[in-house]
Amino acid sequence: YSIAMCYKEIASANLKENLLSEAIKDYQSALHIFKRLEQPNGEMIIDCLIRLGFTFIQVEHYDFAMTIFEDAISRIKSSEGSIRLD
């Protein structure tokens, strides 16, 4: 979990520095880890998916962004209130 959080924070820092390809790689690494945890954290997965989707929009990969957003929406719907969206 800690390593995934580090990747997520590094991705956010790269995004602020406009290092978009690095941010994409780091968000993908965080997602990979979050999804494979013994008890996956749905909130963190959805947060990473949304951030990754917006990053794909910035690099004009709209098809990837749409796929990512659809995954996030599906996860939100299937959670039925068990995930906080602040």
Side-chain angles (χ1 to χ4, degrees):
Y1 182 83
S2 307
I3 295 172
M5 289 300 293
C6 287
Y7 274 117
K8 186 175 171 278
E9 291 301 316
I10 292 169
S12 295
N14 283 332
L15 191 58
K16 287 179 184 174
E17 294 297 320
N18 208 34
L19 301 170
L20 302 177
S21 62
E22 288 84 356
I24 288 170
K25 289 176 191 172
D26 292 329
Y27 281 131
Q28 289 173 328
S29 294
L31 272 170
H32 178 78
I33 295 168
F34 281 132
K35 288 179 178 180
R36 281 157 182 74
L37 291 174
E38 190 172 314
Q39 294 181 336
N41 184 318
E43 289 179 37
M44 288 293 115
I45 292 170
I46 290 168
D47 184 56
C48 278
L49 286 169
I50 291 169
R51 292 172 187 264
L52 181 59
F54 281 119
T55 307
F56 275 125
I57 287 173
Q58 290 182 344
V59 296
E60 299 180 358
H61 286 130
Y62 303 112
D63 52 339
F64 290 127
M66 184 59 75
T67 301
I68 299 282
F69 288 139
E70 287 171 351
D71 186 6
I73 291 167
S74 173
R75 289 172 185 273
I76 291 167
K77 287 180 178 179
S78 69
S79 71
E80 295 194 22
S82 65
I83 295 179
R84 290 185 5 247
L85 298 173
D86 299 331

